[in-house]
Amino acid sequence: MHSADPQQLPVTVLTGIGSQTAERLQKLGIQTLQDLLFHLPLRYQDRSRITPIADLRVGSSALVCGTIEFIDTIQRGRNSLICRISDASGALSLRFFHFSAYQSQRFKPGIMIGCYGELRYGYSGLEMVHPDYKIVTDSAGLTEANLTPVYPLTEGLGQNSLRKMINQAISLCLGNEATITDYLPATLLKHHGFPNLKEALLTLHNPTPPLSAALLDTGKLPALQRLVFEEFLAHHLALQQGKQNYKYGQSPVFNSHPISKQLFIDNLSFTLTQAQLRVISEIEADCSQTRPMLRLLQGDVGSGKTVVAALSAFLALTTGYQVAIMAPTELLAEQHLQNFSRWFAASEYRIEFLSGQLKGKARQAVLEGLNSGEINIVIGTHALFQECVNYQKLGLIIIDEQHRFGVNQRLALREKGQISGLRPHQLIMTATPIPRTLAMLNYSDLDISIIDELPPGRKPVKTSVIPAERRAEVIQRISHWVNQKRQVYWVCTLIEESELIQCEAAEKTAAYLAQALPEIRVGLVHGRMKAGEKDSAMQAFKSAQCDLLVATTVIEVGVDVPNASLMIIENPERLGLSQLHQLRGRVGRGDQDSYCLLLYQSPLSTVGKQRLAILKESNDGFVIAEKDMELRGPGEVMGTRQTGQIQFKIADLNRDSHILELIAPAANLILLEHPEAVPALIQRWLGHSHHYAEV
Ligand code: ADP
Ligand code: MG
């Protein structure tokens, strides 16, 4: 692609785009004419014919033409302007909540008006709220031959002006003379029955009969599928390229002594499972190469990933390199700190903690120790990779519970650890099973190891689904449990992202339970507590000085207290199944029978019931994730709570996930036969705002 291509020109070459409009377009990620071409309609309006008022249906949208009968302003509730119109077949009200004096003066009885909008039932029967309208002298010229595209907008930018800009870009870049480079090889297009790029873009911006809005909405049109395909492909290629770039660098070779490694293993209080041993040797093989390891370790909750991380750290440490371990929450980082301190107690390695909460002199000391190399292992939150943190000799980065960080965050870290050209090995761990097709999008740059075996003696958690009306009964069960010297979690959930509200709910619940169960020691942990407070609450629970721990979902990942064997989750219907499975994974860590009570708010929808039933029936994270995806669609499963997931321009994971299947072979073909297309595709779809390929 060269600069003579009109699609590379800035939007300001178009008429009517000044610096202010350009700034607004920038908010939509639009800088060049190409960006305008790839700004595709969300949906379409059918203004190809005028519908008689008698034929209008509530819920549908239509173009109507009628004569104004009367206008009225209504003071009931919100002020509104009503304009009653009629045609030969019936009458309809147009309702405006925002209107100017000018507007109400223009509406006069007897005037003809054409309007397009969605129909609903209002106070006065059939009505349109804030329709698009035009005052006309006759109905000719109201209809449009083609469907009208509706584009995603941003503040200060109207549908009509955006349409005009896009039309200008189309005639400049896709007009008769112009060409736009299609980076997909013709053989590939033919194979999938896709149109070429120019045709696809023209179809989507300006669909002509017999294409209907309904057909376009299904997302089944080859023109759309082709672009979705190209978008997925661009993301996949970007990850591949990032991997290539990273792998191209030099890494330290870890060669630790087999005897000392065996000693480390013998000192553990348990025997490693076959799966753990296999994964450790996979990691060892990676780290004995001069190329950096990029490995994803998947293993269900409780499968024992932490000790695998410790052994990987051991390899780095004995070769003289530093190790950084990042966890998504302070709580989990603290727990890792304790485990690592215990496992490495016999060695001289200095282990420190670093999080955003560490301030002042203590923080300074850690930063200096990392810079000088006196600190060998640092455990913490994302603070580990802030600007000011410099490592003397970082050899291994371990990221725990990666699904809580976004893809971009993970990739940004890659750039960080490099010192004097040396690239640290990376071990990324997650308990969230990633369905195969989705893994192609988020993790196709990683080699995968799986721990497919739980430590011996684990009993599946027995899960019951109980309506909140039986709360009192559940509370009684707690005291019975505690009498047997066992411990309990009570988890408060809220759908709002507001941590504050969630923490308040947990505080209230803790107070209530303390009152209802006076003989029981109740603890509390939530995200708004200071690190020290959280820590002492967790310590009290760990050392069994507290019987019942009321918590928010901060305990979702990683927390490990084997004597806690009953968990009550309030409002489980509000969480994703994989998240519930993670939470539930906090119990069932010892050798006693464990229970999880899902205390739902009735009434529950059919799907809601089905979802909770899946948890009751299965203890297998992979099965749960697959079933959840069937019920809710991959977009929901991947997207909702997980910030930083990939944002697509046009692809919709729920609608288009079947296309993911086609990506890997196409990517291989392009990498082999058309490598020059790779950077162009990435630039077209991901622009400059991504970390994928930068290293
Ligand atoms: P996760 O994979 O969920 O991070 P953890 O690493 O927290 O799991 O391990 C869960 C618990 O199992 C911990 O208490 C850990 O010490 C213990 N554990 C790990 N490996 C084994 C093993 N091979 N045998 C027995 N217990 C183990
Ligand atoms: Mg863990």
Side-chain angles (χ1 to χ4, degrees), residues 268-290:
L268 296 171
S269 58
F270 45 76
T271 316
L272 293 174
T273 61
Q274 284 308 312
Q276 284 169 320
L277 287 169
R278 173 173 43 77
V279 167
I280 289 163
S281 61
E282 285 165 1
I283 292 167
E284 217 169 345
D286 279 0
C287 296
S288 62
Q289 311 281 321
T290 54

Side-chain angles (χ1 to χ4, degrees), residues 300-302 304-306 332 335-336 400-401 429 431 557-559 582 586 589:
D300 210 344
V301 207
K305 295 184 290 295
T306 320
L332 183 51
Q335 185 183 284
H336 284 336
D400 194 15
E401 305 294 356
M429 309 201 290
V557 287
V559 172
Q582 284 268 347
R586 301 309 115 217
R589 301 188 149 238

Side-chain angles (χ1 to χ4, degrees), residues 470-488:
R470 287 170 57 196
R471 205 163 181 257
E473 207 179 299
V474 168
I475 292 173
Q476 283 322 303
R477 196 159 158 188
I478 294 177
S479 81
H480 176 69
W481 202 255
V482 171
N483 281 338
Q484 298 174 5
K485 297 268 172 291
R486 295 198 259 178
Q487 291 165 280
V488 185

Side-chain angles (χ1 to χ4, degrees), residues 194-365:
F194 290 149
N196 69 36
L197 182 60
K198 184 168 169 174
E199 200 184 319
L201 288 171
L202 287 173
T203 304
L204 292 171
H205 284 295
N206 196 12
T208 47
L211 288 182
S212 68
L215 174 63
L216 285 156
D217 282 346
T218 62
K220 296 255 158 58
L221 208 66
L224 180 67
Q225 299 215 332
R226 185 230 126 95
L227 289 169
V228 168
F229 177 89
E230 192 176 315
E231 181 168 35
F232 282 153
L233 186 66
H235 281 273
H236 183 89
L237 288 170
L239 279 174
Q240 293 297 318
Q241 199 184 52
K243 173 184 180 171
Q244 297 299 325
N245 289 349
Y246 195 79
K247 286 256 175 189
Y248 188 69
Q250 281 282 322
S251 283
V253 173
F254 299 163
N255 43 15
S256 68
H257 202 283
I259 297 181
S260 61
K261 186 182 127 197
Q262 196 52 48
L263 273 175
F264 185 90
I265 292 177
D266 291 345
N267 266 329
L268 296 171
S269 58
F270 45 76
T271 316
L272 293 174
T273 61
Q274 284 308 312
Q276 284 169 320
L277 287 169
R278 173 173 43 77
V279 167
I280 289 163
S281 61
E282 285 165 1
I283 292 167
E284 217 169 345
D286 279 0
C287 296
S288 62
Q289 311 281 321
T290 54
R291 296 282 170 244
M293 165 171 80
L294 285 177
R295 190 166 281 280
L296 177 70
L297 172 55
Q298 284 192 48
D300 210 344
V301 207
S303 61
K305 295 184 290 295
T306 320
V307 71
V308 172
L311 262 143
S312 317
F314 177 86
L315 303 175
L317 294 164
T318 49
T319 318
Y321 287 91
Q322 290 172 301
V323 179
I325 301 163
M326 181 169 83
T329 62
E330 298 228 346
L331 212 58
L332 183 51
E334 290 273 357
Q335 185 183 284
H336 284 336
L337 180 71
Q338 283 153 23
N339 280 326
F340 276 70
S341 303
R342 197 173 69 238
W343 286 327
F344 287 98
S347 70
E348 310 258 273
Y349 300 122
R350 192 170 143 203
I351 309 182
E352 293 290 347
F353 183 80
L354 179 62
S355 81
Q357 294 221 13
L358 193 69
K359 300 257 154 67
K361 276 196 184 135
R363 181 185 184 80
Q364 204 47 43

